[in-house]
Amino acid sequence: MKGHREHYRLPGRAVRDYLQALFWQKERRALNGQALSEAVGLMQAIARREGQEYRTSLRVAHLDGRTFLDLGTDAWEAVEVSGGDWRVIAPDACPVRFTRPPGLLPLPVPVKGGELGELSSFLNTDERGLMMCAAWLLAALSGMSPFPVLALSGEQGTGKSTAATALRNLIDPNQADRRRAPKEERDLFVGAQNGHVMSLDNLSSIPAWLSDALCVLSTGGAFTARTLYSDGEETILEAVRPVIVNGIPDLLARPDLAERALTVTLYRIPPEQRRTERTFWKAYEEARPRLLGALLTALSESLRNLDSVELKEAPRLADFARLIVAGEKALPWAEGAFMTAYGDMQTEAASTVLDGDPVAEALRRLMHDQEQWTGTVKKLLGILGEREYPDGRVPQTWPRTPRALGASLRRLAPALSKTGYTVTPAGRSKDGERYHLSKVGESTYTTFTTYTGDVSDEEKPGEHCAAEVHPPLIEVHPAPVKRPVPAPVPEMEVIHEW
């Protein structure tokens, strides 16, 4: 179309509009609904059985060591990022077939010579917060999953929604740039089909089901349901997406999501530094081509060095950490600073998770005066219950059975390991599942246990292995940075998405 290829999903509104316009141009009358449905069905059948298969992507794709970014322009231009350089290319030169949902908006043409440090003008956070935002942007732009979840928090009036929009619009502007929390998992995955970035705005809390769904979306997964008006067919919505969440309270109440997240605190803007939104967004639009170019330069540096980067201690999102470390020469901080800040942030997030959990608090009080404890989950449940609630009136969130306590121990183990405690499975006996608890001097990422032979009723905690990763916690929060306020229809190539 207009001298270049365009790609549309089958079936879809864009294809139906195209066929109607084509029929009108030829016949000067409308195509009736039945004929239109039959034509679309025929195109699907031809695409499945005779059409050539291509990889399709939305906004960003990583292929054969290179990253491709759809600029969303009318000319369907893209950016090719390779090790050490990037360039704008024509659609015919792009090996990825990009599709565009209705809400997708164009990006500015990037320019070289920009500095990522300019991002501080639009985010009222500290040095570590700026570092985490830049790292999230680089990961989201790379197209290399898994992606971290960016969690923005702060009191009222700190610009959380504005920051979320500014960050998303650097890499994936969309008409639905900030969404409310979905009512069910299906809505979350439907939204993920229509944008590269999923941004959830002004959340009061993240319920357990949404926390689990965001973990799946961050690392990749699918939602399945019966196809409407069918008996045996199944619709599969598959996605892996970068996510932004923002809200006033601490949103990361569950350890699994907290371990995948980058937490950023935004600070209240002093009255003398506040500017109108018009001024803020004018300055932002002027800086956007430079910031996008700086991100592309940092990504090219990451791709050039990625194969040579080895982490001494790998965190949960090890691939993400390697990507950021590989590009540190082109990022606005000293080499090695990211892993230190990332480790400190993970430890703080783990402490926040544990502070609100009654089981975690009870375990830490139990281990305050002893170095280790080994026994069955049933026995542990009795000990904790007697110590914490001698009158027998336990809260609603307290585990009522050994099985429930065992699930809590497994869920809390990674967070406890970062704050100086290890929870290790110690096999099973005739009395039930056994655990070994211990207190260590330094925080660790994860712990694991290996066994040889059967476990008897006697104490056998196994071989406990732990990897130290964090130096003593240091304060990395300087004062908040200052922030300015703000023709005839031709033929079309049809590609079916498998």
Side-chain angles (χ1 to χ4, degrees), residues 37-160:
S37 296
E38 290 176 354
V40 172
L42 178 60
M43 293 171 71
Q44 286 183 269
I46 293 174
R48 285 195 178 100
R49 289 162 178 78
E50 301 177 13
Q52 185 175 352
E53 280 193 48
Y54 294 92
R55 171 174 175 170
T56 62
S57 292
L58 173 60
R59 184 67 83 177
V60 173
H62 187 76
L63 180 67
D64 298 331
R66 297 171 295 167
T67 293
F68 297 90
L69 171 68
D70 179 13
L71 290 178
T73 61
D74 291 339
W76 285 67
E77 296 169 306
V79 177
E80 177 189 14
V81 187
S82 57
D85 196 15
W86 59 269
R87 63 190 179 105
V88 178
I89 59 175
D92 291 347
C94 182
V96 179
R97 301 309 201 242
F98 284 109
T99 59
R100 294 179 176 179
L104 185 141
L105 297 176
L107 284 163
V109 177
V111 297
K112 296 186 177 182
E115 296 289 340
L116 265 181
E118 191 176 5
L119 188 62
S120 64
S121 300
F122 308 103
L123 300 173
N124 49 306
T125 185
D126 55 27
E127 183 179 354
R128 190 177 76 178
L130 182 64
M131 185 183 298
M132 295 303 150
C133 288
W136 180 87
L137 285 168
L138 187 59
L141 184 63
S142 72
M144 302 167 65
S145 60
F147 301 111
V149 175
L150 181 65
L152 305 176
S153 64
E155 62 180 89
Q156 179 180 334
T158 55
K160 298 180 294 297

Side-chain angles (χ1 to χ4, degrees), residues 39-358:
V40 172
L42 178 60
M43 293 171 71
Q44 286 183 269
I46 293 174
R48 285 195 178 100
R49 289 162 178 78
E50 301 177 13
Q52 185 175 352
E53 280 193 48
Y54 294 92
R55 171 174 175 170
T56 62
S57 292
L58 173 60
R59 184 67 83 177
V60 173
H62 187 76
L63 180 67
D64 298 331
R66 297 171 295 167
T67 293
F68 297 90
L69 171 68
D70 179 13
L71 290 178
T73 61
D74 291 339
W76 285 67
E77 296 169 306
V79 177
E80 177 189 14
V81 187
S82 57
D85 196 15
W86 59 269
R87 63 190 179 105
V88 178
I89 59 175
D92 291 347
C94 182
V96 179
R97 301 309 201 242
F98 284 109
T99 59
R100 294 179 176 179
L104 185 141
L105 297 176
L107 284 163
V109 177
V111 297
K112 296 186 177 182
E115 296 289 340
L116 265 181
E118 191 176 5
L119 188 62
S120 64
S121 300
F122 308 103
L123 300 173
N124 49 306
T125 185
D126 55 27
E127 183 179 354
R128 190 177 76 178
L130 182 64
M131 185 183 298
M132 295 303 150
C133 288
W136 180 87
L137 285 168
L138 187 59
L141 184 63
S142 72
M144 302 167 65
S145 60
F147 301 111
V149 175
L150 181 65
L152 305 176
S153 64
E155 62 180 89
Q156 179 180 334
T158 55
K160 298 180 294 297
S161 297
T162 300
T165 296
L167 290 170
R168 175 173 186 168
N169 283 355
L170 283 177
I171 54 176
D172 184 38
N174 194 287
Q175 288 180 351
D177 63 336
R178 299 195 303 257
R179 297 172 179 262
R180 295 293 294 136
K183 294 183 178 179
E184 59 180 6
E185 192 171 351
R186 178 202 295 266
D187 295 338
L188 181 69
F189 275 84
V190 168
Q193 306 302 307
N194 292 280
H196 174 58
V197 173
M198 176 64 67
S199 181
L200 302 181
D201 186 45
N202 199 23
L203 303 182
S204 298
S205 63
I206 298 181
W209 72 265
L210 181 56
S211 179
D212 293 341
L214 291 176
C215 289
V216 172
L217 192 61
S218 168
T219 55
F223 175 86
T224 61
R226 181 176 64 85
T227 302
L228 293 177
Y229 311 114
S230 69
D231 294 325
E233 293 188 18
E234 191 174 51
T235 296
I236 302 174
L237 302 177
E238 187 176 9
V240 53
R241 296 285 185 263
V243 176
I244 304 176
V245 295
N246 78 74
I248 293 177
D250 289 321
L251 299 172
L252 308 178
R254 293 176 66 84
D256 202 25
L257 181 60
E259 208 170 21
R260 289 175 165 88
L262 305 177
T263 56
V264 175
T265 301
L266 301 178
Y267 301 100
R268 194 167 184 83
I269 306 168
E272 65 274 11
Q273 294 182 17
R274 286 189 178 274
R275 299 185 183 182
T276 63
E277 287 202 18
R278 179 179 178 181
T279 303
F280 174 88
W281 290 115
K282 180 181 178 181
Y284 174 81
E285 290 300 327
E286 291 175 354
R288 199 150 66 117
R290 299 190 298 271
L291 287 170
L292 179 56
L295 280 170
L296 293 169
T297 299
L299 178 57
S300 68
E301 181 72 14
S302 293
L303 296 180
R304 176 166 59 183
N305 301 324
L306 191 59
D307 290 340
S308 62
V309 171
E310 294 293 338
L311 301 178
K312 294 182 179 179
E313 291 91 12
R316 174 71 176 268
L317 298 179
D319 294 321
F320 157 71
R322 286 183 65 241
L323 178 73
I324 306 306
V325 172
E328 281 191 308
K329 289 183 179 179
L331 293 168
W333 58 77
E335 292 185 52
F338 174 75
M339 287 303 294
T340 299
Y342 187 43
D344 294 339
M345 183 209 67
Q346 290 265 294
T347 301
E348 293 173 14
S351 297
T352 301
V353 168
L354 297 177
D355 287 343
D357 191 285

